[in-house]
Amino acid sequence: MVAAGAHRPGPLKQQNKAHKGGKHSGSSQRRAGGRVSVKAQPRRRLRDLNRVDRRHQALQLRRQRKEAVLLEKRSLGSRDGPPHLVVLVLLHSRAAAHDSLRLLQSQDSAVVHVDDRRAGGFALLCPRLKQRWRFVTAQAGDLHAVLDLAKVADSLLFILDPADGWDSAGEHCLSCLFAQGLPSYALAVPGGTDLPPKKRIDARKKLAKAIEKRFPEAKLFPLNTEQESLLLLRHLATQKQRHLAFRDRRAHLLAYAAEFVPGQESDLVGTLKVSGFVRGQTLDVNSLVHIVGHGDFQMSQVDAPPDPLSLNPRVVKGQKRSQDMEVQDDSVNGTDEMEEDVKVLMNADPNKQESLQSEVVPDPMEGEQTWPTEEELQEAEASLKANRRVVKVPKGTSKYQAAWIVDDGEGSSEKDDDDGDGDDDIDDDMMEDAVSQEGESSEEEEEPAEEECETMTVSECLRDDQYDEKVEEDEQMLERYKQERMDEMFPDEVDTPRDVPARVRFQKYRGLKSFRTSPWDPKENLPRDYARIFQFQDFSRTRKHLFRQIEKGETEGASVGWYVTLHVCNVPVSVMESFKEGKPLVLFSLLPHEQKMSVLNFLVRRHPSNSEPVRAKEELIFHCGFRRFRASPLFSQHTSADKHKLERFLRPDAAVVVTVYAPITFPPASVLLFKQRSNGMHDLIATGSLLSMDPDRIVIKRLVLSGHPFKIFAKTAVVRYMFFNRDDVMWFKPVELRTKWGRRGHIREPLGTHGHMKCHFDGQLKSQDTVLLNLYKRVFPKWTYDPHVPDPVPWVRSESALLVQEVEME
């Protein structure tokens, strides 16, 4: 028996210290002294699931994902979903397009609707299979049509040549499609039946080996009989759909019919009625739509006309439909057939409708205004008196007019303080004007002597002007190669000018103790163009909020699969003209804020097919997601720091960030960079993706001034050729020096009046070393955004490409 009054420890009982496990390697529980941190568990799961429950949960999640994939497959091309859009891409000039289309149309118990507006386009309805397809043909040479159709296509059907597969134009087309984002695809090979069976098998093996690099696990479908075309259709209907992120979050449609209604004020602008099947997401009438290649527009109304590709069309009395295959011609205008059945789904609400405003209109009086003090006014009057000069002026000239009269020697002495980037362009323009004036004067002089000359016919092969133009282009390309090689060998190095003081020429630059750690205010000395753009307080948070709303499906409007007619306002008549010419008309709905201008950063890599030098601020063509535009970008390094060094050329061996002014686009989105040749062709030079929308990203231009150690002592040296006067040495004295061999130092004092200076370093210099001084300046892109991109000429591989392996430097 335990005594009733058992002893209990009091408050003064000895408390021994817990054992210290030390900081040596061991289990985290032992180092924590046996304590286990409390994990915050959600309320709905207060206890851990046992093994059986975990298995059930995993099985339920697997079933849900499987059902979602099956539902997507069943809805595509069914009665409730949009028709299965298949784009035929001919990758070879010898590819048999007509025979392929004929075989695809020859299905039993199928109804074929031939599209008159686009050659090779038709719709295929199979009530027995409960499937409907729409086929559109695109040539590999028509780059814009292929890329626009691939943006909205459910499947791509590549038509190959049985012998070669694809040609150079097809290779270029495939490069662009892979960079933009490839939807589900299939490979078909028509023809090849004229070969003997043994050679046919060898050709098929050779073709399979050739396509293995581009399509590692692809299956080749022969397309010579009706049975093979049925197998191909079944594969297209049942294969897994590949998703493109930029189109899955936005409503989009490919125009099936269009009608232009001129406006009251002008026939050049009016309302465009576009009919098609809604894809991707629910279409809201209050949102903006982007017509690819033409711009952003508002909608006024959404109608619901009868579905022209219905699997169960209504039978009109007195008409009978045969059960066999029928070929029908579509004359769909949206107004000819069954106007009484057109229902108005929704009208735009002016209070909820998105605005077309893309830029901020800056107020010039919004800046900080301070009244000058008495001392500043007196200094201004004194400077005016000091700057007064005596000038001979005509009688009766006022003081204001006399202030504008410039002496002969004054204009030549003025210098531009900005960089030399724009000076070269001005000099080139002046040279061209001088040459043109010289040519005009020579023509005027030769006019009187024209009667004395005799005329003779010269054959085309003797025309030298075309040959001279090619030679001039080659010389310009050679000069670019030299500049690129010079920038690789001596990065950012410039020669100190001798006619202008260095403190004036480089007055916008500053020195930094450390490029990585020294602070730089992102709001300092912003250009005027920054007053025109929009910026988010937290871009990633806004993006997550928008995508979360899209996933919840809270948008009201036309659902996916509906056949609707959009009334798009204030559309130029050129959009309808391009549609009548057979070009695809693709519409994308815009997310909020996507019509506004900002600073976009793209992460790109040089495409291996292009080796020509691309200089910063050259005009390039951008294909970003569903947009295309022209702009002159900046190139900078892709680093994790807060400052990024400017690159003067697009590097072939590293990823580069491209910065431009462009409309806001929410990532992810692919980007393709093209450069237009003089003959109108577009060469693919770089591919990548949208990195961020960040006007505060600091791009720093670096200049390196170099000098030569003239006299070398233990830790000091006399350096020359970096500056050429004493004042410049005193001006740049606080900036730290470095050498190519890793020494650090600073300027002690100038020696003489010709720019020699005594410098102190952390060690003795080598005689072959070079002393460097780094200067930095923040740069901004130019406002060169142009939404109009001319249609490219069919692409042909450049035969006269200048392949320079080694360029001799002068």
Side-chain angles (χ1 to χ4, degrees):
M1 294 271 314
V2 180
H7 174 71
R8 296 177 181 273
L12 301 177
K13 177 177 171 55
Q14 177 180 341
Q15 297 289 337
N16 297 328
K17 292 182 178 179
H19 173 66
K20 293 183 179 179
K23 295 183 179 180
H24 56 79
S25 60
S27 66
S28 59
Q29 293 183 359
R30 192 168 71 236
R31 276 177 302 192
R35 298 185 184 91
V36 180
S37 60
V38 179
K39 295 181 180 178
Q41 294 183 347
R43 293 181 181 177
R44 59 183 174 83
R45 188 182 171 188
L46 297 177
R47 61 183 180 84
D48 292 334
L49 298 176
N50 57 26
R51 184 190 302 177
V52 178
D53 292 339
R54 288 198 302 270
R55 285 182 179 177
H56 282 311
Q57 189 180 38
L59 185 62
Q60 289 174 353
L61 293 174
R62 197 180 305 121
R63 281 177 182 170
Q64 290 176 3
R65 287 193 291 266
K66 190 175 181 180
E67 288 175 0
V69 173
L70 289 175
L71 181 64
E72 183 185 6
K73 282 186 180 180
R74 294 186 188 120
S75 63
L76 183 61
S78 64
R79 181 172 58 88
D80 298 328
H84 194 134
L85 180 58
V86 182
V87 177
L88 278 76
V89 183
L90 308 178
L91 294 181
H92 202 285
S93 57
R94 295 196 305 265
H98 181 71
D99 297 339
S100 305
L101 294 173
R102 181 180 54 79
L103 285 171
L104 291 171
Q105 293 176 10
S106 62
Q107 301 299 320
D108 294 335
S109 69
V111 181
V112 179
H113 293 258
V114 179
D115 192 354
D116 293 335
R117 291 170 301 278
R118 189 170 181 84
F122 66 93
L124 187 66
L125 307 180
C126 294
R128 183 170 61 87
L129 299 176
K130 296 182 180 180
Q131 284 285 325
R132 51 181 180 169
W133 287 273
R134 186 183 174 193
F135 291 88
V136 184
T137 308
Q139 297 286 341
D142 192 355
L143 183 63
H144 282 181
V146 171
L147 293 179
D148 291 349
L149 288 171
K151 289 179 176 71
V152 294
D154 297 314
S155 300
L156 294 181
L157 180 58
F158 294 114
I159 307 297
L160 308 179
D161 182 67
D164 300 331
W166 53 74
D167 53 9
S168 60
E171 177 73 22
H172 181 250
C173 177
L174 283 177
S175 299
C176 299
L177 287 174
F178 273 90
Q180 177 178 270
L182 201 63
S184 303
Y185 62 87
L187 305 177
V189 187
T193 55
D194 53 344
L195 296 174
K198 189 173 182 181
K199 288 188 177 181
R200 197 183 308 167
I201 295 174
D202 294 341
R204 186 175 177 83
K205 288 182 179 178
K206 182 181 177 182
L207 183 60
K209 190 174 182 180
I211 70 171
E212 189 176 359
K213 183 180 178 181
R214 281 285 189 186
F215 308 97
E217 299 178 357
K219 181 182 178 183
L220 284 173
F221 287 88
L223 195 58
N224 298 314
T225 62
E226 295 182 8
Q227 186 68 24
E228 291 172 347
S229 66
L230 181 61
L231 288 175
L232 178 60
L233 282 178
R234 192 168 293 168
H235 171 74
L236 289 172
T238 57
Q239 70 176 345
K240 184 179 179 182
Q241 293 297 311
R242 302 175 67 175
H243 295 275
L244 300 180
F246 73 89
R247 76 177 185 185
D248 287 344
R249 292 188 174 96
R250 298 169 178 86
H252 55 275
L253 62 86
L254 175 64
Y256 185 75
E259 180 192 3
F260 184 77
V261 180
Q264 298 178 355
E265 299 178 357
S266 173
D267 295 339
L268 300 177
V269 179
T271 301
L272 184 67
K273 298 180 181 179
V274 184
S275 300
F277 293 91
V278 180
R279 302 172 185 271
Q281 294 290 334
T282 304
L283 179 63
D284 186 9
V285 68
N286 294 317
S287 63
L288 301 179
V289 291
H290 176 80
I291 301 179
V292 177
H294 298 282
D296 304 334
F297 304 95
Q298 288 179 331
M299 291 182 290
S300 61
Q301 183 178 322
V302 177
D303 298 339
D307 190 348
L309 303 180
S310 176
L311 286 172
N312 300 316
R314 291 179 297 176
V315 179
V316 184
K317 291 182 179 180
Q319 295 181 359
K320 293 183 179 180
R321 291 182 175 270
S322 62
Q323 298 298 324
D324 299 331
M325 183 188 71
E326 298 179 358
V327 178
Q328 302 176 355
D329 292 334
D330 285 346
S331 58
V332 183
N333 295 325
T335 58
D336 294 346
E337 298 179 355
M338 294 180 285
E339 288 188 355
E340 67 276 3
D341 292 340
V342 175
K343 299 178 182 178
V344 178
L345 286 180
M346 59 197 81
N347 290 310
D349 186 359
N351 297 325
K352 298 181 180 179
Q353 199 170 23
E354 288 281 344
S355 172
L356 282 172
Q357 182 186 5
S358 61
E359 300 177 19
V360 179
V361 180
D363 185 6
M365 304 301 293
E366 199 175 24
E368 183 181 356
Q369 300 288 329
T370 56
W371 191 258
T373 61
E374 292 292 336
E375 296 178 356
E376 292 174 344
L377 289 174
Q378 292 175 1
E379 289 179 2
E381 290 179 1
S383 63
L384 284 175
K385 292 178 181 179
N387 291 333
R388 282 179 184 171
R389 52 192 171 83
V390 179
V391 182
K392 294 182 179 180
V393 296
K395 192 175 181 180
T397 306
S398 64
K399 291 183 179 179
Y400 178 77
Q401 292 172 335
W404 288 93
I405 297 176
V406 183
D407 289 343
D408 295 337
E410 184 181 350
S412 60
S413 62
E414 293 181 356
K415 296 290 182 180
D416 187 12
D417 293 336
D418 203 356
D419 299 334
D421 299 340
D423 298 342
D424 300 337
D425 302 336
I426 297 171
D427 296 341
D428 294 341
D429 296 339
M430 293 173 64
M431 287 292 292
E432 289 176 4
D433 295 341
V435 170
S436 61
Q437 291 174 5
E438 192 175 323
E440 291 172 2
S441 62
S442 62
E443 288 174 4
E444 292 174 0
E445 293 173 1
E446 291 174 2
E447 278 180 2
E450 193 173 331
E451 298 176 357
E452 301 175 0
C453 301
E454 61 180 25
T455 58
M456 59 183 296
T457 305
V458 181
S459 62
E460 287 293 328
C461 62
L462 296 179
R463 290 281 302 276
D464 292 336
D465 51 353
Q466 297 178 355
Y467 186 80
D468 291 341
E469 289 178 0
K470 293 183 179 180
V471 172
E472 290 175 1
E473 290 180 4
D474 291 347
E475 290 178 354
Q476 293 175 1
M477 189 61 65
L478 179 62
E479 186 63 30
R480 286 185 179 180
Y481 273 108
K482 283 186 177 181
Q483 293 176 1
E484 186 181 31
R485 183 63 58 83
M486 185 72 78
D487 189 57
E488 288 180 4
M489 296 171 62
F490 308 101
D492 303 323
E493 288 192 29
V494 296
D495 295 330
T496 307
R498 305 194 65 170
D499 54 344
V500 182
R503 63 186 182 279
V504 176
R505 172 64 181 83
F506 306 120
Q507 60 184 350
K508 294 184 179 180
Y509 291 81
R510 68 180 71 173
L512 292 179
K513 176 70 175 176
S514 170
F515 182 81
R516 186 178 61 86
T517 59
S518 296
W520 197 302
D521 186 8
K523 304 295 184 184
E524 176 187 356
N525 292 334
L526 298 179
R528 288 182 177 272
D529 291 335
Y530 264 52
R532 301 164 60 183
I533 65 172
F534 291 84
Q535 184 177 5
F536 292 95
Q537 190 172 4
D538 191 345
F539 178 73
S540 60
R541 181 181 177 184
T542 306
R543 174 175 168 270
K544 288 180 182 178
H545 177 67
L546 287 175
F547 288 177
R548 200 176 296 119
Q549 284 183 339
I550 293 172
E551 291 175 359
K552 290 180 181 178
E554 299 176 351
T555 308
E556 296 180 358
S559 299
V560 177
W562 289 7
Y563 183 77
V564 297
T565 299
L566 309 181
H567 295 247
V568 187
C569 305
N570 301 324
V571 180
V573 71
S574 59
V575 180
M576 188 64 194
E577 291 174 354
S578 67
F579 180 67
K580 288 180 178 178
E581 292 173 0
K583 298 177 183 177
L585 188 61
V586 179
L587 283 79
F588 275 84
S589 69
L590 298 182
L591 299 177
H593 315 295
E594 282 196 328
Q595 78 279 13
K596 300 173 182 176
M597 297 290 292
S598 188
V599 178
L600 267 61
N601 301 303
F602 306 102
L603 181 62
V604 302
R605 274 189 179 274
R606 188 73 175 267
H607 197 264
S609 64
N610 187 276
S611 59
E612 295 181 1
V614 181
R615 193 178 177 86
K617 298 183 182 179
E618 281 189 30
E619 186 181 76
L620 300 178
I621 296 171
F622 289 77
H623 288 241
C624 175
F626 52 87
R627 292 185 187 272
R628 58 173 175 259
F629 55 88
R630 292 184 293 173
S632 300
L634 291 180
F635 303 143
S636 59
Q637 293 179 350
H638 179 50
T639 59
S640 59
D642 60 341
K643 294 181 288 296
H644 312 273
K645 192 177 82 68
L646 177 78
E647 293 285 353
R648 287 174 168 79
F649 289 89
L650 188 62
R651 298 296 180 195
D653 54 349
V656 176
V657 176
V658 178
T659 304
V660 291
Y661 290 111
I664 295 170
T665 303
F666 289 98
S670 59
V671 61
L672 288 79
L673 268 65
F674 292 88
K675 187 176 180 181
Q676 186 170 349
R677 293 190 208 165
S678 58
N679 57 4
M681 295 182 191
H682 292 180
D683 285 333
L684 180 65
I685 61 170
T687 60
S689 60
L690 177 59
L691 179 64
S692 64
M693 196 286 304
D694 186 13
D696 288 342
R697 188 176 188 274
I698 301 175
V699 180
I700 301 295
K701 181 178 181 180
R702 184 181 72 172
L703 284 186
V704 179
L705 305 181
S706 58
H708 175 67
F710 177 45
K711 295 179 181 179
I712 300 175
F713 302 99
K715 285 193 175 183
T716 59
V718 178
V719 179
R720 62 178 178 178
Y721 301 147
M722 182 177 288
F723 303 109
F724 298 99
N725 61 69
R726 185 184 183 90
D727 295 336
D728 287 345
V729 177
M730 295 299 295
W731 179 267
F732 290 101
K733 187 177 179 181
V735 184
E736 187 182 21
L737 300 176
R738 68 179 181 89
T739 70
K740 288 189 175 182
W741 286 45
R743 295 298 181 191
R744 299 275 177 170
H746 59 273
I747 302 173
R748 271 193 174 181
E749 57 181 351
L751 300 176
T753 60
H754 295 284
H756 291 204
M757 55 187 182
K758 182 188 291 185
C759 305
H760 183 270
F761 294 93
D762 56 359
Q764 190 172 16
L765 298 187
K766 302 289 185 181
S767 59
Q768 64 269 31
D769 206 349
T770 305
V771 182
L772 305 175
L773 183 141
N774 294 340
L775 298 176
Y776 303 94
K777 180 186 76 167
R778 185 179 179 184
V779 291
F780 302 90
K782 293 183 179 179
W783 192 287
T784 54
Y785 172 78
D786 185 4
H788 173 68
V789 178
D791 291 330
V793 177
W795 190 85
V796 178
R797 189 180 297 278
S798 178
E799 298 178 357
S800 62
L802 188 62
L803 300 176
V804 179
Q805 299 297 333
E806 292 293 334
V807 179
E808 295 184 0
M809 303 312 245
E810 295 180 358

